[in-house]
Amino acid sequence: MGISTEQIRAHIHQDRFCIKEAPDRNGFICTLSDSRQYRIRAYNLNPDVTVNPEGESEPRSISVRSKISKLFGQSNSDKIKRIVEAQHDPYKFLAGKVANTKAKVTREPEKKTVVIGFEERQTREVDIAETELRNRCQAAIKIGKYYSNYKYRKNLLLYAAKLQVMQDKDKALPLSEQRRPLEFVIMQHPTKRNWKGEARCYYVDIDGILKTTRDPDTVVSREVSGGTKTVVAKDDVAIELAPKKVWVKNAYGQKFLKAGADFDLEIELENKHLAQQFSRYTSICQTVAVSSRRMIGQNGGVDVFDEVILAELSVDMLCCEQLCIDIKHAHQNHIYFRDIKSENMVFKKNKQGIKHPINIDSPRVRMVDIDMAVSEDYGVKGKNKGSPKYMTLGLMKARVSAEERVRNALVNYNNAAHSSYDVKAKLKERYDLAIAKQQSAEKYLDNYALLATLFEMTEVRGGFQVDEVVERYGAIMPPPKGFAYFCSEPDMVTGWITQYFKPEAKNDVWLFMQDPSTYLLKKPVYDVIDWERIKVDSTMM
């Protein structure tokens, strides 16, 4: 027993009408106003489809709208949703959608009548609605074709670029002479423009590990400079950096700004491989050099130091949870950041919508500028990098001595190439022990810098307490002990520890923040913070 298409159309605009996907995904379950359920077969291409009754009492509650983006693409799903929300005929929508998946849709001319009666007017409105819907479905098919063409062109470019990189490496060419020294494929948008008015470029990683980045659209009103880089453009998604301009004197003693030196391609290629290892961590903003004068990265939000600390505001500790998780996981994989500080933290509460900013449900603090990070395979080792304010003299000496011990152990092991097996095994054991001590020194430095950064971000006026060591010892050499030993308000630090840390770890954290080279904190920072209590306190507020 079946019902006709006219019976479905008679109930199509009733409030109790709904369409849900069938459990076997071979059609849709149609519930009419009489509470009876019928199955619409999806493989029928004829608009006059047969609708058969279905005896299922609890159909799967997946709306037909969830299939729109899969069939027509995300960019066109909003248009089709508006068609359904405007109370157009869902049956015609389904019929047009199924017909367009396997057959080409031809635009039918509108029916014209001289005398418009009730039936003629109704027929004309239906034909206009069907024509409009078919045109939109045909546009969706074109979008799908463009997307498939984009994927095809992208794969061709990636294949050609890999061949070029392999050929250049086989020829042993220096990076400055290679065609793709940083191993990126550049694709240009046909219509959209970047901040220079040129075609917007998209940078695709040859290895497919890094996310595809693009040029920003807006020039910054005020350039923000760091040690060696300057922000020249950014929008809600991307940020572009260039070498920092430097002041020089001419032959007459006049000062003028000169373009900074190009990025070192050897170092930037190392940083790119290091960024590939960081790609698994969501709290790390990806920033990579795509040429010798251009660096593209993700825009993580406003600068925490300028917008929060200097304004005597604070960030919720829960916004730093993912950052602590990622740093703990990175240390387990022998990746160390070496420059954790509040100046390298960004924070985003909302993102730009179509008309107004949209609040983010779970905002988080993210880290930028990880050029000083090192791993077992990549990174510039052997240099005592970092900000003196976020380390102590004892931690710095421990790092220097550990790196020197590693170099000496490696030299001794290489010189013993023709020695006996027992001698080489003993030297290899000494080398492994030196590596373990070096990794421990780097981990303690990161943990101390992370605690100082968390104190600055989550405690009002906490940054001024950390800055007191700079006022006393300067910004060139690190202080002999931790900032908690020299701060003028130690009760602020103890209150902060009592509020956020586990009871059994409070004393260890307090001693570590006073003298980290003497009282070592064995556990990761994430493990000593009482996240459960923080979440309960935040829900009660």
Side-chain angles (χ1 to χ4, degrees):
M1 176 180 176
I3 69 170
S4 63
T5 304
E6 287 75 14
Q7 288 177 294
I8 292 181
R9 289 175 176 171
H11 299 283
I12 208 76
H13 295 294
Q14 305 249 347
D15 294 337
R16 296 182 61 185
F17 173 81
C18 66
I19 295 179
K20 297 180 181 178
E21 186 180 11
D24 56 1
R25 299 188 178 181
N26 194 22
F28 299 93
I29 299 298
C30 174
T31 304
L32 299 184
S33 58
D34 56 359
S35 299
R36 299 188 63 182
Q37 297 176 347
Y38 302 90
R39 179 187 293 272
I40 300 177
R41 295 293 181 181
Y43 53 76
N44 289 298
L45 299 181
N46 191 345
D48 296 329
V49 298
T50 303
V51 182
N52 299 321
E54 185 70 16
E56 298 177 7
S57 59
E58 295 182 358
R60 191 175 181 182
S61 58
I62 300 179
S63 174
V64 69
R65 299 178 189 176
S66 64
K67 299 283 289 183
I68 295 174
S69 59
K70 297 179 182 179
L71 293 174
F72 292 93
Q74 187 64 35
S75 60
N76 205 46
S77 63
D78 294 336
K79 297 180 181 179
I80 299 176
K81 287 178 183 179
R82 285 195 290 268
I83 294 174
V84 179
E85 290 171 356
Q87 294 184 351
H88 281 277
D89 192 342
Y91 169 76
K92 297 185 183 66
F93 164 71
L94 285 175
K97 178 182 67 176
V98 176
N100 283 327
T101 56
K102 294 186 178 180
K104 185 177 179 180
V105 179
T106 58
R107 183 172 180 177
E108 297 180 358
E110 301 177 4
K111 294 183 180 180
K112 299 181 179 180
T113 55
V114 179
V115 180
I116 300 179
F118 176 76
E119 295 181 358
E120 290 81 358
R121 187 184 301 110
Q122 188 177 15
T123 304
R124 183 173 181 178
E125 291 176 356
V126 170
D127 291 338
I128 292 175
E130 285 185 352
T131 304
E132 181 183 0
L133 185 60
R134 288 177 184 275
N135 291 339
R136 297 197 180 193
C137 292
Q138 193 171 7
I141 293 176
K142 291 182 179 179
I143 292 175
K145 289 181 179 179
Y146 292 151
Y147 180 69
S148 61
N149 292 335
Y150 159 74
K151 290 181 64 177
Y152 177 72
R153 290 188 297 109
K154 177 182 174 181
N155 292 333
L156 281 181
L157 289 174
L158 286 175
Y159 179 72
K162 288 180 180 179
L163 289 179
Q164 291 177 358
V165 171
M166 292 173 61
Q167 291 173 1
D168 291 342
K169 288 184 178 180
D170 292 339
K171 297 177 182 177
L173 293 176
L175 286 180
S176 58
E177 298 179 10
Q178 292 185 14
R179 287 166 288 186
R180 301 183 186 277
L182 297 174
E183 301 178 1
F184 279 101
V185 172
I186 301 177
M187 302 183 69
Q188 293 184 345
H189 198 283
T191 57
K192 296 185 179 180
R193 303 293 173 184
N194 62 6
W195 63 280
K196 293 182 178 179
E198 303 170 350
R200 180 195 285 176
C201 294
Y202 291 80
Y203 305 94
V204 185
D205 181 19
I206 289 181
D207 301 324
I209 300 176
L210 297 177
K211 294 181 180 179
T212 301
T213 56
R214 65 167 177 83
D215 293 337
D217 301 333
T218 310
V219 183
V220 293
S221 57
R222 180 178 60 90
E223 292 187 356
V224 180
S225 301
T228 58
K229 299 181 286 292
T230 300
V231 179
V232 294
K234 69 176 181 179
D235 55 19
D236 193 56
V237 177
I239 185 172
E240 181 173 336
L241 301 96
K244 182 180 178 180
K245 296 180 181 179
V246 294
W247 288 96
V248 294
K249 289 184 178 181
N250 56 14
Y252 302 99
Q254 299 174 345
K255 289 185 177 182
F256 63 96
L257 278 174
K258 182 182 177 181
D262 294 348
F263 296 129
D264 191 337
L265 295 179
E266 296 283 349
I267 296 177
E268 296 304 331
L269 186 60
E270 287 277 320
N271 290 337
K272 184 205 171 182
H273 293 153
L274 192 61
Q276 290 177 343
Q277 296 183 349
F278 282 121
S279 61
R280 73 186 77 173
Y281 305 125
T282 57
S283 63
I284 309 298
C285 286
Q286 167 188 312
T287 305
V288 290
V290 295
S291 67
S292 59
R293 305 277 315 167
R294 176 176 288 184
M295 187 176 289
I296 304 295
Q298 300 173 349
N299 187 3
V302 299
D303 187 65
V304 172
F305 184 78
D306 294 335
E307 303 294 335
V308 178
I309 297 176
L310 294 183
E312 299 187 13
L313 301 174
S314 63
V315 176
D316 190 0
M317 179 64 84
L318 285 178
C319 299
C320 308
E321 182 179 9
Q322 188 62 42
L323 176 66
C324 297
I325 293 175
D326 290 344
I327 291 177
K328 173 188 173 181
H329 190 271
H331 286 174
Q332 292 174 350
N333 290 275
H334 309 298
I335 301 174
Y336 306 98
F337 297 89
R338 310 185 79 183
D339 195 25
I340 300 175
K341 56 184 179 180
S342 57
E343 288 88 344
N344 288 345
M345 300 295 169
V346 291
F347 182 67
K348 181 182 288 188
K349 283 187 176 181
N350 51 54
K351 59 183 179 180
Q352 186 61 39
I354 298 177
K355 292 184 178 180
H356 307 287
I358 303 172
N359 292 330
I360 300 175
D361 295 334
S362 56
R364 63 181 60 175
V365 173
R366 305 179 69 185
M367 191 191 310
V368 297
D369 196 5
I370 54 172
D371 296 345
M372 296 186 183
V374 294
S375 65
E376 290 182 327
D377 301 323
Y378 302 105
V380 181
K381 303 180 180 66
K383 291 186 178 181
N384 195 24
K385 294 185 176 182
S387 300
K389 184 174 68 171
Y390 297 92
M391 63 174 65
T392 63
L393 196 60
L395 291 175
M396 185 184 71
K397 290 181 178 180
R399 174 199 278 173
V400 173
S401 61
E403 290 179 347
E404 185 178 358
R405 193 180 295 112
V406 169
R407 287 194 296 269
N408 294 334
L410 183 60
V411 170
N412 295 333
Y413 180 76
N414 292 332
N415 293 335
H418 302 287
S419 302
S420 62
Y421 176 79
D422 294 337
V423 172
K424 289 194 291 185
K426 187 176 293 185
L427 292 176
K428 181 65 167 59
E429 184 179 355
R430 290 180 181 176
Y431 175 73
D432 294 338
L433 182 61
I435 288 290
K437 289 186 177 180
Q438 181 191 22
Q439 292 173 351
S440 298
E442 296 288 356
K443 181 177 66 175
Y444 294 139
L445 270 165
D446 278 356
N447 287 340
Y448 175 75
L450 178 59
L451 284 173
T453 303
L454 291 176
F455 178 70
E456 285 184 307
M457 294 190 298
T458 59
E459 184 69 24
V460 179
R461 295 186 58 81
F464 297 97
Q465 297 296 316
V466 179
D467 285 340
E468 289 184 359
V469 297
V470 179
E471 297 175 359
R472 180 175 296 191
Y473 293 97
I476 299 177
M477 288 297 294
K481 293 187 178 182
F483 74 92
Y485 185 84
F486 299 104
C487 66
S488 59
E489 300 181 23
D491 294 339
M492 180 185 295
V493 182
T494 55
W496 179 76
I497 295 175
T498 304
Q499 181 180 0
Y500 293 118
F501 290 83
K502 296 179 180 179
E504 63 273 14
K506 291 178 182 178
N507 188 48
D508 295 338
V509 174
W510 167 248
L511 293 176
F512 182 72
M513 294 174 70
Q514 282 189 317
D515 192 357
S517 59
T518 304
Y519 305 99
L520 301 178
L521 185 63
K522 302 292 185 180
K523 295 183 179 180
V525 174
Y526 175 78
D527 292 344
V528 297
I529 296 178
D530 195 351
W531 298 106
E532 296 296 331
R533 188 180 61 179
I534 295 173
K535 292 177 182 177
V536 172
D537 294 342
S538 63
T539 55
M540 295 176 61
M541 292 182 179

